[in-house]
């Protein structure tokens, strides 16, 4: 069965420190992976995706993600966190059934403290 | 370019009442989706459409109906609302074709069923 796991409900980071939000996946075939961010009372915004190519993917707002096939992981990272990065982050994988359907993880709340 | 818009933004229904949520996109996307977001469960796909006049069931379709009479619009209907349908509903759209797999989301509709 296809699935996405985000093992941490919440991640707390001090401003200026590096941050990592974890994601692991289970899917048949080659994975197409995504990260989205949701600010309070807003829709989801696309951050970045991995389809093929380099394992390190760069996205919006200084975020990047590292694809690791052997560990079936796609962790989101940022070298220096900002208070404004505080939000809900979702990892997703493209459904093998096609039509760009996505399977989402439960989400991880990132709290960046001044 | 408004992207994906949803109406209404908020709605309170009594059990047994009906309503329709409207999603509109101006990006000429073929694919459209309806999700519900519940705490700790991420986003779950209700129904989706791969083109004008076509719809298909997602993960949690029971109690909902959809229609896509025009390419730019995707309607979600609740015929007889139940408290279990209290949720935040998101519409999304997506291009077809290679390397265009990400979805674009609307701002959401917060529905409360009492």
């Amino acid at each position: 069965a296809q699935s996405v796991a985000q093992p941490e409900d919440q991640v707390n980071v001090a401003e200026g420190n590096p941050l990592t939000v974890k994601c692991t996946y289970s899917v048949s075939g080659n994975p197409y992976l995504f990260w989205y961010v949701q600010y309070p009372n807003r829709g989801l915004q696309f951050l970045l995706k991995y389809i093929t190519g380099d394992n390190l993917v760069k996205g919006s707002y200084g975020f990047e993600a590292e694809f690791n096939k052997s560990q079936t992981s796609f962790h989101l990272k940022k070298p220096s966190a900002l208070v404004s990065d505080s939000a809900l982050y979702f990892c997703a994988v493209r459904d093998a059934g096609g039509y760009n359907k996505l399977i989402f993880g439960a989400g991880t709340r990132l709290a960046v403290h001044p | 370019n408004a992207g994906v818009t949803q109406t209404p933004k908020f709605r309170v229904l009594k059990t047994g009442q009906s309503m329709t949520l409207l999603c509109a996109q101006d990006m000429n996307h073929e694919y459209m989706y309806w999700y519900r977001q519940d705490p700790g469960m991420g986003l779950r796909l209700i129904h989706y459409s791969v083109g004008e006049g076509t719809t298909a069931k997602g993960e949690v379709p029971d109690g909902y109906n959809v229609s896509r009479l025009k390419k730019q619009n995707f309607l979600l209907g609740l015929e007889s609302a139940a408290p279990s349908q209290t949720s935040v509903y998101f519409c999304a759209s997506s291009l077809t074709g290679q390397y265009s797999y990400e979805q674009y989301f609307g701002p959401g509709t917060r529905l409360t069923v009492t």
Side-chain angles (χ1 to χ4, degrees):
Chain A
Q2 302 171 98
S3 64
V4 175
Q6 293 183 242
E8 302 153 317
D9 290 336
Q10 179 154 330
V11 171
N12 296 298
V13 178
E15 188 174 30
N17 283 0
L19 69 87
T20 298
V21 182
K22 295 180 180 177
C23 172
T24 59
Y25 65 90
S26 174
V27 65
S28 56
N30 293 322
Y32 295 177
L33 297 157
F34 304 82
W35 276 102
Y36 285 83
V37 60
Q38 184 182 29
Y39 298 102
N41 300 313
R42 302 286 295 275
L44 276 69
Q45 296 180 29
F46 170 73
L47 277 180
L48 51 80
K49 65 184 176 186
Y50 172 83
I51 305 299
T52 186
D54 290 341
N55 290 342
L56 187 63
V57 178
K58 295 189 182 299
S60 306
Y61 313 122
F63 284 93
E64 57 190 25
E66 186 170 12
F67 170 64
N68 187 316
K69 189 173 184 178
S70 63
Q71 297 186 3
T72 62
S73 67
F74 189 55
H75 300 333
L76 182 69
K77 300 181 180 184
K78 189 174 183 183
S80 179
L82 300 172
V83 172
S84 57
D85 292 330
S86 298
L88 188 56
Y89 290 81
F90 290 98
C91 182
V93 65
R94 184 178 185 244
D95 188 322
Y99 303 118
N100 293 350
K101 291 183 292 178
L102 295 176
I103 299 168
F104 285 88
T108 297
R109 189 164 299 281
L110 174 66
V112 182
H113 305 285
Chain B
N1 190 338
V4 180
T5 58
Q6 294 182 233
T7 53
K9 288 184 170 50
F10 304 94
R11 186 70 186 268
V12 178
L13 287 179
K14 294 184 177 179
T15 297
Q17 288 184 322
S18 63
M19 76 164 295
T20 300
L21 282 66
L22 172 63
C23 175
Q25 53 94 4
D26 60 3
M27 297 176 284
N28 201 34
H29 287 174
E30 285 293 333
Y31 299 160
M32 296 187 74
Y33 316 85
W34 276 107
Y35 294 91
R36 59 178 289 170
Q37 182 182 21
D38 302 294
M41 301 187 72
L43 275 75
R44 292 180 292 169
L45 183 64
I46 304 171
H47 286 279
Y48 64 100
S49 168
V50 300
E52 182 178 315
T54 71
T55 64
K57 294 180 180 180
E59 180 187 359
V60 288
D62 293 343
Y64 305 95
N65 57 76
V66 288
S67 64
R68 185 125 179 246
L69 299 179
K70 295 182 179 180
K71 184 177 182 178
Q72 64 267 34
N73 295 338
F74 194 28
L75 279 64
L76 178 71
L78 287 72
E79 292 186 345
S80 179
S84 61
Q85 294 178 304
T86 293
S87 188
V88 181
Y89 291 86
F90 288 100
C91 177
S93 68
S94 172
L95 284 166
T96 61
Q98 198 174 24
Y99 304 121
S100 300
Y101 302 110
E102 62 265 32
Q103 295 181 13
Y104 297 83
F105 283 80
T109 295
R110 186 173 295 275
L111 174 66
T112 301
V113 183
T114 61

